[in-house]
Every structure is written in structure tokens, then in C-alpha cells.
Amino acid sequence: MSSKLKVGIVGGTGMVGQRFIELLENHPWFEVVAIAASPNSAGRTYEEAVSGRWKLASALPESVKKIMVKDASKVDEVAAEVDFIFCAVDMKKDEIKALEEAYARTGTPVISNNSAHRWTPDVPMVIPEINPEHLEVIAQQRKRLGTTTGFIAVKPNCSIQSYMPTLHALNDFKPTKVVVTTYQAISGAGKTFADWPEMLDNVIPYIGGEEEKSEQEPLRIWGSIEDGAIVKSELPIITSQCIRVPVADGHLAAVFVSFEKKPSKEEILNLWKTFKGRPQELELPSAPKQFITYFEEENRPQTRLDRDIEKGMGISAGRLREDTLYDYKFVSLSHNTLRGAAGGAVLIAELLKAEGYIQPK
């Protein structure tokens, strides 16, 4: 019998669900034992359910091919087989909220890739290197849900992972104003070029809902806990534009920032080089050893060359220089379906296990 925690993936046939399958193959702590999806996929083997729909370059792992896909709405049936679940379903927001709370009430921890609970006051929205202390609100959430072991924790929007870490490393200088433009890959929409040929030789200057997320979600992550709820920070003031570009994977951000106390360029570079968070301290399996990598070359980071740094879990930065309107400007890059989606959620799960929030049932 495996000593690994038993994992269910709810929404396992979509692109992010497929990334979970890929990342969890041979994971030292976790093992996929259940996969759930829509009624259309339920009752078939996972291999049959994703036939003609497998979107990753890697081969479908042998270990999951014969797993029978369950109906995600049959909560008790799925929950009975697992210690916790990852959730990456494509449903209406109110339906996702109800589904995730139903799983949590069975005593099952839920690590969500969805946006539905990102603003629920007692649900932590976590980038493990930045705000691990927000996990403390889980105690209050469990009281509300009437469970001693279940809860929901969520991963933030993929776009903010490209620039939040580089800003967070400079928090001692108190960023006050941020302007950011993100250049976002098509996989952020769950697409490949094969099923979205309109993106070839094209740029779309609008992504629904992304700019509000890019401006507001960092403030919640930088927020404080008051009376069992997370209260968002007032600063920095962030304004953004989010643009879809013809790139398979990787979100690039162009950032302008002003500080209450302006650091030197040398101070910034040293903080980026030395920054470590709780995942690095705990040596979690998915944690990048070097969280932020700075490139001295004028033409780096580049999406295709640098998105896979630290197995897609690191952040790349470059082109740091003083600005005429703001204190500094730079570019930074993250892999949107690894650090920004499934990989980030796996790292949250590792942190939750290490801190005692997820245990065998």
C-alpha cells in the first residue's frame, strides 16, 4: 500500500486538469487515485475520455489511463476515495462555489484552480512564497463549513504570478504605484494553436476579467487577517492592461513601479537574487531553488527560452532600469500553466501538507 496521499482531480479532462496529471506522475508525496469530470466523460476510462483531446507534449501517463472517470457532481462518491482534491472545473461561478464547498464539507481539503472563491473572506488565496500566513484563516473557514478537516484554498490568477514575486521581494521599500501590461499566452484560455488558429499572426488587446484580477488580487494577497477574514491592502495602486499574444505558454509582464523609499538598482538585484519563501525553507518538492532569476542580457527574459526555468516554477526578470515617470521599469516572466496554474496549486498542496493542514483520512 502506498504511503502517498491519495489525490482526486475534479475537472481532470481539461487543459489544467491534464497538467495536474502530468505533474503528479511520480510525485514523492501525492498519487492520483480518482479523476472526475462532466457527465459526458464519466463512466469512461481516462484514456478514452481524453482521446483526441490530450493537449500536452508529454505522453499520457500509464498510471492514469485505466482510471474510470467519475461524475464530479457525485461528491460523496469521489470524496470517499481521496485524501484531498485539486479542482479545475469549467462551470458557472456559483456552481463552482457550491461544488467546492460540498467537497470541503465532506472533510476533504480542496485546492482550487478556479476563481470562484478568491474573494471569499475566509478562503486563503495563496502564492506560497508570498503569503503562507494566510493559511491561518482555514480555522475560521472550517467553523463556517462545519468540518474539522475540510477546507478550500485557492490559487490566484495566472497573470499576476509574472510580476507579484518581483514586487514582493521589494516590499521593504513600499511600492506605491504600479503600471503593468501583461502579454499572455493562449494556453491561459485553455487553447492551443490547433484549436485557436485565429491567434496565429494576431494580437488581441482584451482578455475578459483579467485587468480587474491583475489590479485587485495582489492587494488581497498582500492583505492582512482581521477577525478570521482577509482584508485587502490599500497599496500599491495598480493599473493594468492584459493582452493575448500568439505564444503557446508563458505570461510576460512589463512593469513600472514607484516606491515610498526608492531603492538602488544594486539593492533590487540583490533582493531578487536572495529572495526565498516558505517553500524554499521547507525544501518542498515543487519549489524552485532559485525563485527569481535575473538576466543581464538586454533581450531577456524571452518567453520561449525562459518560461521553463526551474521546471516552470521560477520567475525570470530582466531590463531593470530607472524610468522618467516612475522610479524603475523592468520585465518579468512566468509559466502560466505551471507556476500560474497546476504547478502553483501543487506547491500550495505541498505547503498545506508540510504545515499539517492535509493529512490522510
Side-chain angles (χ1 to χ4, degrees):
M1 179 68 69
S2 172
S3 60
K4 296 180 181 182
L5 289 171
K6 298 187 292 258
V7 180
I9 302 174
V10 177
T13 57
M15 179 175 275
V16 175
Q18 292 176 22
R19 276 288 189 197
F20 279 122
I21 295 290
E22 177 188 59
L23 290 172
L24 293 170
E25 184 184 19
N26 301 318
H27 191 281
W29 294 358
F30 307 144
E31 180 180 7
V32 177
V33 300
I35 301 171
S38 69
N40 292 334
S41 296
R44 295 190 283 172
T45 66
Y46 187 67
E47 184 177 28
E48 293 168 340
V50 297
S51 177
R53 300 168 55 198
W54 184 254
K55 299 189 177 189
L56 306 183
S58 58
L60 179 64
E62 290 290 333
S63 58
V64 299
K65 284 184 176 180
K66 303 307 179 187
I67 292 178
M68 296 298 294
V69 178
K70 297 182 179 295
D71 185 337
S73 67
K74 295 183 178 178
V75 173
D76 290 334
E77 184 179 326
V78 177
E81 293 192 7
V82 302
D83 295 314
F84 73 96
I85 67 165
F86 292 107
C87 189
V89 294
D90 183 12
M91 298 163 58
K92 293 178 181 177
K93 188 168 288 190
D94 58 344
E95 294 173 343
I96 294 172
K97 277 189 171 184
L99 183 69
E100 291 181 345
E101 288 197 355
Y103 274 100
R105 286 193 172 98
T106 68
T108 305
V110 177
I111 295 90
S112 176
N113 195 74
N114 306 300
S115 65
H117 274 293
R118 286 181 189 161
W119 289 92
T120 303
D122 58 12
V123 171
M125 178 169 66
V126 180
I127 297 177
E129 286 89 350
I130 295 178
N131 63 328
E133 69 279 2
H134 282 193
L135 298 181
E136 294 171 15
V137 299
I138 287 173
Q140 177 61 38
Q141 184 195 148
R142 282 172 166 166
K143 290 178 184 176
R144 175 175 63 86
L145 296 176
T147 175
T148 58
T149 56
F151 62 86
I152 302 162
V154 299
K155 181 206 66 64
N157 192 47
C158 54
S159 67
I160 71 173
Q161 321 251 352
S162 59
Y163 56 90
M164 256 203 93
T166 43
L167 291 172
H168 181 74
L170 311 176
N171 252 0
D172 285 349
F173 297 99
K174 298 183 179 178
T176 56
K177 291 185 293 184
V178 175
V179 177
V180 61
T181 300
T182 57
Y183 302 87
Q184 300 186 204
I186 63 172
S187 57
K191 304 286 189 180
T192 65
F193 287 114
D195 48 35
W196 200 3
E198 298 88 347
M199 275 307 303
L200 289 167
D201 191 32
N202 195 20
V203 168
I204 299 176
Y206 173 74
I207 307 172
E210 286 291 288
E211 289 170 3
E212 181 183 5
K213 294 172 186 175
S214 295
E215 293 169 1
Q216 294 299 316
E217 288 189 13
L219 300 179
R220 187 169 196 259
I221 292 169
W222 280 320
S224 58
I225 299 174
E226 298 178 18
D227 299 323
I230 298 167
V231 179
K232 75 175 188 177
S233 175
E234 295 297 319
L235 290 174
I237 297 169
I238 305 173
T239 185
S240 71
Q241 293 195 93
C242 298
I243 298 172
R244 189 73 72 192
V245 294
V247 166
D249 295 302
H251 289 355
L252 183 75
V255 184
F256 299 77
V257 57
S258 287
F259 299 90
E260 185 176 303
K261 177 189 174 187
K262 183 179 177 180
S264 68
K265 181 176 179 179
E266 291 71 25
E267 286 174 315
I268 294 174
L269 293 177
N270 182 61
L271 285 166
W272 284 349
K273 181 179 180 180
T274 59
F275 180 75
K276 297 183 185 300
R278 191 76 176 126
Q280 287 73 35
E281 294 170 3
L282 293 168
E283 298 183 347
L284 299 179
S286 299
K289 288 182 171 57
Q290 182 64 42
F291 186 32
I292 301 171
T293 298
Y294 184 79
F295 288 92
E296 296 287 351
E297 298 93 329
E298 290 184 343
N299 64 348
R300 302 282 288 277
Q302 293 181 25
T303 303
R304 189 168 65 177
L305 295 180
D306 302 314
R307 63 192 168 201
D308 291 318
I309 198 163
E310 294 278 348
K311 299 181 180 178
M313 292 298 288
I315 308 298
S316 303
R319 302 205 69 213
L320 175 67
R321 60 229 191 268
E322 292 192 58
D323 184 57
T324 53
L325 290 176
Y326 291 80
D327 287 336
Y328 287 97
K329 55 189 172 187
F330 61 89
V331 295
S332 54
L333 169 71
S334 65
H335 195 303
N336 58 296
T337 66
L338 291 172
R339 165 57 72 165
V346 171
L347 187 61
I348 293 170
E350 292 170 358
L351 176 64
L352 286 161
K353 177 192 179 296
E355 301 287 18
Y357 289 94
I358 298 178
Q359 298 179 0
K361 283 186 178 176

